[in-house]
Amino acid sequence: MASKNYLLVAAIDFGTTYSGYAFSTRTDFQREPTTVYLKQWVDPASNMVYNKTSTCILFDESVNFIKFGFEAEA
């Protein structure tokens, strides 16, 4: 199996209720393998911080993307 020198590894979770993502760089992995970066989402209704957001997309009348997640839901 051929070896590749990837610069980044990412994980994307599109769920039916909540979605999120995480990533790690090769440099961070070499320094500390458990270092992972997670997007933190703020729920505008409660000001709580979460690692996942609502799986909700808002489009305008012309089907242009407007907002995603908690912001789209609000």
Side-chain angles (χ1 to χ4, degrees), residues 1-38:
M1 198 169 172
S3 175
K4 303 268 185 181
N5 288 321
Y6 295 107
L7 297 176
L8 182 82
V9 173
I12 302 170
D13 173 12
F14 285 111
T16 55
T17 306
Y18 294 101
S19 296
Y21 66 88
F23 66 92
S24 181
T25 65
R26 177 177 39 186
T27 304
D28 288 333
F29 178 79
Q30 289 169 340
R31 278 188 284 201
E32 176 55 51
T34 60
T35 299
V36 176
Y37 299 97
L38 296 144

